Amino acid sequence: MLGLGNNLARGGAISGLTNNYSLAFDGTNDYVNCGASSDFDLTNNWTISCWAKNDNATTRGDARENMIAKYLTGTDSRCWRIVINQTMASFSVSGDGKGATTATVDATGITVNAWNHYVATFASGVMSVYVNGTVEISTDHTSKLGGTTSNTDSGADLILGSYGAGSYQHFEGNIDEVVIYNKVLSAGDISALYSARGTANLNDDGNSGNLVGWWRFEEGSGTSATDSSPNTNTGTLTNAPAYSASTP
């Protein structure tokens, strides 16, 4: 169970921390590089979560804006990512047996210039996207992926706010509370994450043993983003994304 004490069991919001800052991206060239740790080589049963406020609903070149991506440039066959495409959230996963084939599921109706909570889960070929605590789409892509596991590349950096070591598809807006688990969170846990709005202590709950990465952006200044998970994969702010007082 996610949260502190019995708040979730009683139907209340989980809490315990303050959430004072997010990270603002200019949509041009800035990003956070969290490195190429094997912690991020997710193959089956995993969850990605973040809050984001995208500022741009117009098409500008490639309209996709990456919030979280693990992609080795020029090697689409070994990647995963969650992106905003104007008012649609997309979750893409590369398969384990079909070369460059990538399965994508889309959640529509995203509110631009407002904070939204995004969660993507992958379990034995089933890809799901939750928006603001509610599942929007869940699709079994086993046949398209060529199997039930995803295919990631240990040589690829985990990038926040862009794609492929910051090469393109830059995010414009704010990102907060990026979380990665090597398990599929329950619908109740996802709803609780949404209700907490960045105030949950994820190192003090029933899912903490599966916490792979957790970037809160609470530094407020500087060029680093602390990984608050036990893995301590510190992110490096590149091309000056700015700490912002705007939060969910």
Side-chain angles (χ1 to χ4, degrees), residues 180-197:
I180 303 174
Y181 289 95
N182 60 6
K183 69 175 289 186
V184 176
L185 295 189
S186 70
D189 284 347
I190 291 169
S191 178
L193 269 181
Y194 167 63
S195 297
R197 306 186 79 85

Side-chain angles (χ1 to χ4, degrees), residues 12-197:
I14 55 179
S15 61
L17 303 175
T18 58
N19 187 10
N20 298 313
Y21 297 99
S22 65
L23 204 59
F25 297 83
D26 62 14
T28 301
N29 66 349
D30 56 1
Y31 59 94
V32 178
N33 190 329
C34 299
S37 170
S38 59
D39 298 328
F40 311 135
D41 293 343
L42 307 172
T43 57
N44 197 14
N45 296 321
W46 42 282
T47 301
I48 308 168
S49 170
C50 74
W51 282 90
K53 179 170 70 74
N54 60 313
D55 292 345
N56 201 315
T58 61
T59 301
R60 48 182 182 85
D62 189 333
R64 291 174 292 181
E65 301 180 37
N66 285 261
M67 295 182 283
I68 309 169
K70 182 174 171 61
Y71 164 77
L72 190 64
T73 303
T75 315
D76 281 327
S77 60
R78 297 191 297 275
C79 69
W80 54 260
R81 62 177 178 157
I82 182 167
V83 308
I84 291 289
N85 188 342
Q86 298 180 62
T87 58
M88 177 173 67
S90 298
F91 173 41
S92 299
V93 175
S94 291
D96 61 352
K98 289 290 186 69
T101 296
T102 301
T104 301
V105 291
D106 298 320
T108 59
I110 306 305
T111 303
V112 177
N113 203 26
W115 282 103
N116 294 285
H117 185 235
Y118 303 97
V119 176
T121 66
F122 182 89
S124 300
V126 177
M127 300 165 59
S128 304
V129 176
Y130 293 72
V131 179
N132 295 331
T134 301
V135 65
E136 295 291 332
I137 186 169
S138 185
T139 303
D140 188 338
H141 272 312
T142 302
S143 59
K144 185 172 184 179
L145 293 170
T148 60
T149 60
S150 58
N151 186 2
T152 58
D153 195 306
S154 59
D157 293 330
L158 176 67
I159 301 295
L160 311 180
S162 189
Y163 188 35
S167 57
Y168 63 114
Q169 296 178 359
H170 295 274
F171 183 83
E172 182 178 357
N174 292 59
I175 297 176
D176 198 17
E177 283 290 308
V178 176
V179 188
I180 303 174
Y181 289 95
N182 60 6
K183 69 175 289 186
V184 176
L185 295 189
S186 70
D189 284 347
I190 291 169
S191 178
L193 269 181
Y194 167 63
S195 297
R197 306 186 79 85

